Amino acid sequence: MEDALAHSFHALVAGGGVFYLAIGAVVGLVFGIIPGLGGPTALALLIPLTFGMDTTSAMFLAGGIMGGVPFGGSVTAILLNTPGTAPNAATVFDGYPMTLQGRAGAALGAAGAASAIGGLFGVILLLLALPIAREVILFFAPPEFFMLAVLGLSAIAVSTEGKLLRGLIAAGLGLMIAFVGYDDVGSGTRFTYGVDYLWDGVPLVPTLIGLFAVAQIVSLYLSGGAITKNPEEVEVSRVGEGVRAVFREWPTVLRGSSIGAAIGAIPGVGGTVAAFLAYSVTVQISDEPETFGKGNIKGVIAPEASNNAREGGALIPTLAFGIPGSAEMAVFLGLLVLHGMQPGPAVLLNHMDVVTSLILSLAFASVFASVMCLLVARQLARITLIDVNYLVAIILPVALVGAYALNSSMYDVIVAVIFGVIGYLMIRFDYPRLPLVIAMFLGSVMEVNFRQSLMISRGDWTTFFSRPVSLILFLLIVLSLCVPAIRYGIRKFREGKEQEA
C-alpha cells in the first residue's frame, strides 16, 4: 500500500498527473454547472479520449472529473435555483434564499469549503476501508459473488423510490443486453443474429456514451432556450464569509460527511439520498429548525459536505466487488474495462497503484475544484446563459466522434445513437437508467459465478445457502426486496394514527 501511494504521488507531482487532474477538475466543474449533464455524462464523453493514455493518467483525469462535478452543480443551485446535478437539489433550499438576500458569495464560499472537506473525509474513509476490503474479498468464492451481484442489482432497483417496477424493468433490459455475445462457460454465441460485431457482446463504452451523453444532450435540446436569460442573476460577492462559516460549523461538516460516505458505500442509493438525508438530519437536530429554507448557511454546508464525501464511499463497493455505488461509478467501471482491468477484487489485488492514483486524484481534485471555482464562480455561472443549441452543436459531435475513435468503427457510433434514443425515452417516461447500466455490468458476473458454483458443487443448488456469507447475502436480498412493502405499511399506519387523532 505504501509503495503504491509513493508511486502514485510521484506520478502526480513529477509525471504530469497534475495536468490531467486539472483538466478533469475543469471539465467536471463545467459539466456540473450545466443542469442535466453531470458526472456520468462527463465520464462517458472522456472515456474514449483516454484510449492510448497510460492507466495512471486516466485515473487522474477521472478523479479530477469526479472531484469537480459536485461543487460545479452547487453553483447554479445557489445562484439560479437550478441544481446542476440531482444531489445538489438539497442545496437549493437554503442556497437560493441566501442569493435572494444578497449573500450568494457566502453561500458559494460555504459550499466550496464544505465540498473540499467532505471530499477529503470520503478519501480518508476509503483509505481506511481498503486494507479491510482486501482481506474480506479472500473469503468470497463464486456463490458469494453471485449473491453479491444479485444483492447489488436488487438494492439498486429498490432504491429507485416510487419506481420499483420501472427499476426492475430497466434491470431486466440490462440483463438481456448483458447476455448477448459469446458464452464464456458453455461456448457458442447467443442473440447475435448473425452479426459478427456482437460476438463480444454489446460494447460498453458506446452504450454509456449513448445512455448518458447523447440522451442528456437530446433532452436539453428539446427543452430549448437558455438555462437563464437574466445576466444579473449571476453576480457573486462575499465569498470569505461562507468559508469562515464552515470552520465555525465543524459538527455540521462532519455529520454531513459521515452520512455521505456511509450512504455512498451502499450500491444504488446515490448522492441524492445522502444529500437530502444530511440536510434533513441537520434540520431535525437544530435549535432553530424554522430558519431552514430561509437562508440558513448550515442548510448549504450539510448537503455539500455529504455530496463530495459520498464519492469516496461509493468507490468502496466499486473497487472491492465491482458493484458501482453510483451512476458515476458505473461509467467509471467502463474506464477500467477499457484499460484492461476486470472490475472487482482483481483490481485491489493486482492493480493497487491504479487505486492509489484514483484516491490521490479525488483528494486533490476536491480541494482544487473548490478553490478554482470560487475564484471564477461568476464567469462559470455565465455558462448557463448559453443557448442549448450551441451546447448541442459542441457536445453531440464530440460524443459521436469519441464513440467512433475507440475502435474506428461506425458500428460503435450506431450503438451510441441507438442507446441515446433509448436513454432519452427513459428520461422522457421517467425510467431510471442506473439499473440498466448496473445490470449490464453484473449480468455476466451473475451468470458465470452461478454456473461455476453449480459446477463446483456438482449441481447441488444448496451451495448458495450452506455457506455463511452466501446465506447472509441471500437474507439481505430478501430484506431489500421487502423494503418497499415495509415503507408502505409504515406510511399507512402513520396515516391511520393521524386520522384517529
Side-chain angles (χ1 to χ4, degrees), residues 55-241:
T55 305
T56 301
S57 297
M59 292 303 106
F60 288 135
L61 186 64
I65 291 173
M66 289 188 282
V69 165
F71 183 42
S74 69
V75 173
T76 49
I78 291 170
L79 296 177
L80 310 174
N81 201 31
T82 305
T85 63
N88 296 117
T91 307
V92 167
F93 296 148
D94 284 280
Y96 190 63
M98 290 181 68
T99 296
L100 297 178
Q101 298 165 8
R103 301 164 59 206
L108 282 174
S115 294
I117 295 172
L120 292 174
F121 184 93
V123 168
I124 291 172
L125 176 67
L126 178 60
L127 281 171
L128 294 175
L130 282 180
I132 302 174
R134 294 186 71 182
E135 296 298 326
V136 169
I137 60 177
L138 296 178
F139 292 97
F140 278 66
E144 286 76 18
F145 282 118
F146 169 74
M147 287 295 185
L148 189 63
V150 176
L151 175 62
L153 196 57
S154 62
I156 288 164
V158 170
S159 67
T160 54
E161 186 68 26
K163 306 174 188 174
L164 175 60
L165 180 58
R166 296 183 181 189
L168 291 174
I169 291 173
L173 178 60
L175 288 175
M176 291 171 63
I177 296 170
F179 297 146
V180 173
Y182 187 78
D183 182 0
D184 292 328
V185 178
S187 301
T189 57
R190 302 174 298 186
F191 312 116
T192 60
Y193 303 103
V195 180
D196 294 347
Y197 173 77
L198 295 176
W199 272 45
D200 291 328
V202 177
L204 183 60
V205 175
T207 299
L208 294 173
I209 291 174
L211 279 175
F212 291 100
V214 176
Q216 290 288 7
I217 203 62
V218 169
S219 180
L220 281 176
Y221 171 74
L222 293 177
S223 66
I227 296 169
T228 181
K229 298 178 176 63
N230 187 2
E232 294 180 358
E233 292 184 348
V234 296
E235 294 299 322
V236 180
S237 61
R238 298 168 60 187
V239 173
E241 176 188 331

Side-chain angles (χ1 to χ4, degrees), residues 76-445:
T76 49
I78 291 170
L79 296 177
L80 310 174
N81 201 31
T82 305
T85 63
N88 296 117
T91 307
V92 167
F93 296 148
D94 284 280
Y96 190 63
M98 290 181 68
T99 296
L100 297 178
Q101 298 165 8
R103 301 164 59 206
L108 282 174
S115 294
I117 295 172
L120 292 174
F121 184 93
V123 168
I124 291 172
L125 176 67
L126 178 60
L127 281 171
L128 294 175
L130 282 180
I132 302 174
R134 294 186 71 182
E135 296 298 326
V136 169
I137 60 177
L138 296 178
F139 292 97
F140 278 66
E144 286 76 18
F145 282 118
F146 169 74
M147 287 295 185
L148 189 63
V150 176
L151 175 62
L153 196 57
S154 62
I156 288 164
V158 170
S159 67
T160 54
E161 186 68 26
K163 306 174 188 174
L164 175 60
L165 180 58
R166 296 183 181 189
L168 291 174
I169 291 173
L173 178 60
L175 288 175
M176 291 171 63
I177 296 170
F179 297 146
V180 173
Y182 187 78
D183 182 0
D184 292 328
V185 178
S187 301
T189 57
R190 302 174 298 186
F191 312 116
T192 60
Y193 303 103
V195 180
D196 294 347
Y197 173 77
L198 295 176
W199 272 45
D200 291 328
V202 177
L204 183 60
V205 175
T207 299
L208 294 173
I209 291 174
L211 279 175
F212 291 100
V214 176
Q216 290 288 7
I217 203 62
V218 169
S219 180
L220 281 176
Y221 171 74
L222 293 177
S223 66
I227 296 169
T228 181
K229 298 178 176 63
N230 187 2
E232 294 180 358
E233 292 184 348
V234 296
E235 294 299 322
V236 180
S237 61
R238 298 168 60 187
V239 173
E241 176 188 331
V243 175
R244 290 190 295 271
V246 170
F247 289 94
R248 289 196 304 268
E249 301 293 344
W250 271 106
T252 303
V253 177
L254 293 178
R255 183 169 53 250
S257 300
S258 301
I259 292 173
I263 297 298
I266 303 174
V269 178
T272 304
V273 174
F276 277 94
L277 181 60
Y279 182 86
S280 176
V281 170
T282 302
V283 174
Q284 291 173 6
I285 68 174
S286 173
D287 296 330
E288 301 174 325
E290 69 279 357
T291 63
F292 286 84
K294 301 177 182 178
N296 191 321
I297 201 166
K298 293 182 182 179
V300 174
I301 294 172
E304 286 303 312
S306 172
N307 198 11
N308 262 45
R310 55 108 183 179
E311 294 293 349
L315 277 169
I316 295 174
T318 304
L319 294 175
F321 302 108
I323 297 178
S326 65
E328 289 90 342
M329 295 300 113
V331 182
F332 172 71
L333 288 183
L335 178 64
L336 294 181
V337 172
L338 179 64
H339 285 266
M341 288 175 282
Q342 179 63 39
V347 174
L348 285 182
L349 296 174
N350 304 323
H351 302 282
M352 201 61 193
D353 57 328
V354 172
V355 175
T356 53
S357 297
L358 182 63
I359 291 172
L360 285 178
S361 63
L362 272 177
F364 282 96
S366 297
V367 178
F368 178 81
S370 296
V371 172
M372 184 174 62
C373 194
L374 291 176
L375 293 175
V376 297
R378 185 183 295 107
Q379 289 74 18
L380 284 174
R382 291 185 181 275
I383 293 174
T384 59
L385 301 173
I386 300 175
D387 191 289
V388 294
N389 291 313
Y390 295 109
L391 295 178
V392 171
I394 295 172
I395 296 176
L396 188 58
V398 170
L400 297 181
V401 169
Y404 176 79
L406 188 63
N407 296 306
S408 299
S409 172
M410 280 302 298
Y411 285 108
D412 287 343
V413 178
I414 294 172
V415 169
V417 171
I418 291 174
F419 278 93
V421 174
I422 293 173
Y424 170 72
L425 292 175
M426 295 181 76
I427 294 173
R428 174 67 177 79
F429 294 103
D430 200 22
Y431 277 76
R433 290 169 292 169
L434 183 57
L436 187 152
V437 175
I438 303 304
M440 285 186 63
F441 279 110
L442 298 183
S444 60
V445 175

Side-chain angles (χ1 to χ4, degrees), residues 451-465:
R451 296 170 73 174
Q452 286 181 346
S453 299
L454 293 180
M455 291 169 66
I456 292 172
S457 64
R458 297 185 179 182
D460 183 7
W461 58 269
T462 60
T463 185
F464 296 106
F465 309 102

